Amino acid sequence: MASAPEKIPIRERRPSVGVPIVDIQGSVGPAGVSRPKHKRTFTGFGPGEIKHVEASIPEPQREAWLKHQVSGFKDKDGFEREVVRHVETTLARSLYNCDESAAYSACALAFRDRLILEWNRTQQRQTYADSKRVYYLSLEFLMGRALDNAILNVKQKDLAKAGLADLGFRIEDVIQQEHDAALGNGGLGRLAACFLDSLASLNYPAWGYGLRYRYGIFKQEIIDGYQVEVPDYWLDFNPWEFPRHDVTVDIQFYGNVVKSTDDSGKMISRWEGGETVKAVAYDVPIPGYDTPTTNNLRLWSSKAASGEFDFQKFNSGEYESSVADQQRAETISAVLYPNDNLDRGKELRLKQQYFWVAASLYDIVRRFKKTRRSWKEFPDQVAIQLNDTHPTLAIVELQRILIDQEGLEWDEAWNIVVNTFGYTNHTVLPEALEKWSVPLIQHLLPRHLQIIYDINLYFLQTVERQFPGNRELLRDVSIVEECQPQMIRMAYLAIVGSHKVNGVAELHSDLIKTTIFKDFVQIFGPDKFTNVTNGITPRRWLHQANPRLSELIASKTGGHEFLTDLTTLNKLELHVNDKAFRKEWAEIKYANKVRLAKHIKATTGVTVNPSALFDVQVKRIHEYKRQQMNIFGAIHRYLTIKAMTPEERQKQMARVSIFGGKAAPGYWMAKQIIHLINSVGAVVNNDKEIGDLLKVVFLEDYNVSKAEMIVPASDLSEHISTAGTEASGTSNMKFVLNGGLIIGTCDGANIEITREISEQNIFLFGHLAEEVEELRQTHLYGEHTVDPDLAKVFTAIEEGTFGNPQDFAGMISAVREHGDYYLVSDDFHSYIETHALVDEAYRNQEEWITKCITSVARMGFFSSDRCINEYAEEIWNVEPLKVEKPAAAADAGAGAGAAQPSS
């Protein structure tokens, strides 16, 4: 029996030192003499102010407030009472017309009310402690459904299930009514969501900042095999957000910069004129697991600063233009990643990014200034993490605030900026590193361009002193790329303006130091660059997505401790030969496959056999992720089966190839890959000669909720990116944690997963990262022969087997004539051979189950809790807050002057 892996040592932390909560007893003044009435404020109080405010509240008011203070439901009857109350008063319905949608709304509101209480107490606790806070800036937060997550995190699933049953509803049907929050698209956004969950669960004082997209990225529909983008109306009913119409920020665009000299002779820059758009805050509570801590996600929505409606224009008959300002302003937060194939799309993207970081920085600075600390303490109170290059303008904006508005000298301000920011890089693809043209920034953000030029000048001066005469190095590391037009390299700006830069897997972190950022390692030294391998929250990706497996694991590991310390999964290895345990494990996997098969039938009309091997690739569609190689492999399997005799087919393993994911609206090749997958499915799924031996399915509009159904049902998942292109990947972790095996390349976190679970439990293939560049050079300047098996696939496509061959000519020519940049042909033979090994392994179900159980037992390293502790220790220098027990916490939030979440 394999020995259990060692536990990760638990780090000892210094205790957090917080300001004690003042509990004032008795009268605060002579009888009959009232004190001045305190003035309430929507945006809360600083740590010093709150004590004075609490002392100024007269005793009778305090008693009345405490007497009627709201408390959350504590039992099934209380929950049912809250649900019925919301149905009848909030929704204006009754027993007779309460359907599942209304039941969801009422149930969500009941749990939301409960969360609000802890949310307010958390903000007050953090304000009192007055310790350093983390601000996580991400353009995406792929949150998924909130109700099930909230119910599980407050450990009330059984109570809610029983209460809803009493009222005539199944909890599963109620949960299904919720729309996914359309705030992201891929792994970047899901990682951010996992991090918010872990920050709250570990009691770190933290906020997330993002944009409130009215229509998401888009809702994907498949029509005649093609992706069609339609708006995602996810905000029609969203009980989880709170509009903060009192928390608004005016954001400036365009205009010009006026320079003048003050009385002391100092040069002053003023950004004047242009257009102003109003940012309005919307807050979303983020509950931690089994803790009262409920952190905040603040999303910004754009509104016209001049108001929604111009009455003068309307009265003069200009009806359309009377709302033009509002429509133009609202486009900023309408859609995630607007198509940037057009110049107007590029401007909108840049506008979106600045709008978001400027509003967030205003909020962060406002909160800091309430503490009345000196500016040099800003990095001791504030840690801002940039999730990829999208929020990089925050560096420039903070420098602008400090020198233009607060009057700090450049060097002092820049030192504050650098010590505040950390930058997470998510790609080694040079084309994926954001660049903005100088003319565009000059037009949209004239003052920021001046500051970028100054940052670059001072940086290059330090490089020149360090490496005198090295003109080539200066050109290579300059933030301003010398081309036509000049471009601002945002990743370089993020590196120069941050004190730490991290990759998200060991291979990725090594690659950025030896390839795209190697010159910066030479300048700053290796210590500025670090690695934090990504992780996932086991609360959502095991406990919520796969409840039966979670309960089975709990029965063998002594409880649910693994949900907060994933390393305790190693206890499962003690039971790998337990027959009853293995039998139930297999039954759970089969039940999950049946559930997915029903969904496939309901949504696509295709009948699949749950006993077949479910082979899954669900993720953003991109050439480097190589969904094209997967579908070429499915075509090869189809051609092979067609060439078999009936006797040979009887020995063939049945397989279902399942795809899902969205292609960016302007990414033509990715959309063609989707079209090919659906065209192949249309042929294969209707070929009676092969029957259940092969099915090809594309599930439209892939999102977190669908992932929660697909991941537990997977036997094999495909993580087949060209080696050296996938920064980390987190779906690989989710699939393995749910008892599925991986076929993959030596890329991203696959390498670390292999190290943890051993090579016997993963199917690796393909060339290594260090071989990729040489192969690409050979393709371009030497001979390039398409793999013979792949050539047969291309022939079948070109013969019209799967529809009009012209539709797929670009995909074929990318491999055959244009250098095969992603090495589809080079890896294809290895890919096909490895799939044959998968078939053989799956035949031996006893050995397959052993592989699955062993893999799950060894996945303890890949928790987002471990990630957050590493960020906190190595990058943010922040401590978790000590949290009182919920019963005691109820008293802490009693004061009428409690700081609000917008504090």
Side-chain angles (χ1 to χ4, degrees), residues 280-307:
V280 181
Y282 286 75
D283 287 347
V284 180
I286 307 294
Y289 175 77
D290 196 21
T291 172
T293 297
T294 304
N295 282 338
N296 196 43
L297 169 60
R298 174 156 287 175
L299 304 172
W300 298 104
S301 186
S302 54
K303 304 286 181 188
S306 58

Side-chain angles (χ1 to χ4, degrees), residues 508-536:
H508 170 237
S509 296
D510 288 341
L511 282 172
I512 64 174
K513 286 194 284 186
T514 55
T515 58
I516 53 174
F517 300 150
K518 64 179 186 297
D519 294 326
F520 291 95
V521 176
Q522 191 181 356
I523 293 163
F524 292 112
D527 290 349
K528 179 162 183 160
F529 297 83
T530 188
N531 174 64
V532 181
T533 298
N534 283 344
I536 58 174

Side-chain angles (χ1 to χ4, degrees), residues 356-371:
W356 153 53
V357 300
S360 303
L361 256 296
Y362 176 90
D363 211 39
I364 293 166
V365 167
R366 174 183 61 77
R367 194 171 295 115
F368 171 77
K369 288 174 77 171
K370 284 185 180 181
T371 67

Side-chain angles (χ1 to χ4, degrees), residues 758-891:
S758 89
E759 288 184 26
Q760 287 73 43
N761 299 316
I762 190 169
F763 299 94
L764 295 175
F765 74 95
H767 289 87
L768 302 178
E770 50 265 34
E771 301 168 321
V772 168
E773 209 49 52
E774 189 178 329
L775 284 166
R776 285 173 176 162
Q777 292 294 317
T778 305
H779 293 177
L780 290 173
Y781 304 112
E783 289 190 7
H784 173 47
T785 308
V786 175
D787 177 83
D789 286 327
L790 186 57
K792 291 176 188 173
V793 170
F794 287 172
T795 300
I797 294 171
E798 289 172 330
E799 288 174 350
T801 309
F802 307 105
N804 185 354
Q806 283 304 308
D807 289 347
F808 316 116
M811 218 178 302
I812 294 172
S813 65
V815 175
R816 196 189 276 156
E817 283 98 32
H818 298 294
D820 191 13
Y821 187 78
Y822 297 105
L823 310 190
V824 173
S825 177
D826 298 88
D827 285 349
F828 194 71
H829 182 69
S830 173
Y831 179 63
I832 295 302
E833 284 196 328
T834 307
H835 266 294
L837 294 176
V838 171
D839 285 344
E840 284 305 307
Y842 195 69
R843 284 181 205 283
N844 184 348
Q845 274 294 297
E846 287 304 309
E847 184 60 31
W848 185 274
I849 291 170
T850 298
K851 288 177 183 287
C852 294
I853 295 172
T854 306
S855 297
V856 173
R858 297 176 181 177
M859 282 297 286
F861 176 75
F862 299 101
S863 167
S864 51
D865 294 352
R866 185 262 316 154
C867 298
I868 290 302
N869 282 328
E870 288 183 13
Y871 275 102
E873 197 166 274
E874 297 175 25
I875 299 175
W876 301 331
N877 190 27
V878 64
E879 298 285 339
L881 288 186
K882 289 180 179 176
V883 177
E884 304 172 32
K885 293 178 182 178
D891 297 328

Side-chain angles (χ1 to χ4, degrees), residues 262-273:
D262 67 8
D263 295 340
S264 64
K266 181 180 175 183
M267 182 67 75
I268 304 293
S269 295
R270 286 197 321 279
W271 182 15
E272 296 182 346

Side-chain angles (χ1 to χ4, degrees), residues 681-697:
V683 172
V684 171
N685 300 339
N686 293 300
D687 191 330
K688 293 177 182 173
E689 200 175 11
I690 65 164
D692 279 349
L693 290 181
L694 181 64
K695 299 289 184 187
V696 176
V697 175

Side-chain angles (χ1 to χ4, degrees), residues 313 460 805 889 894:
K313 285 183 178 179
L460 293 181

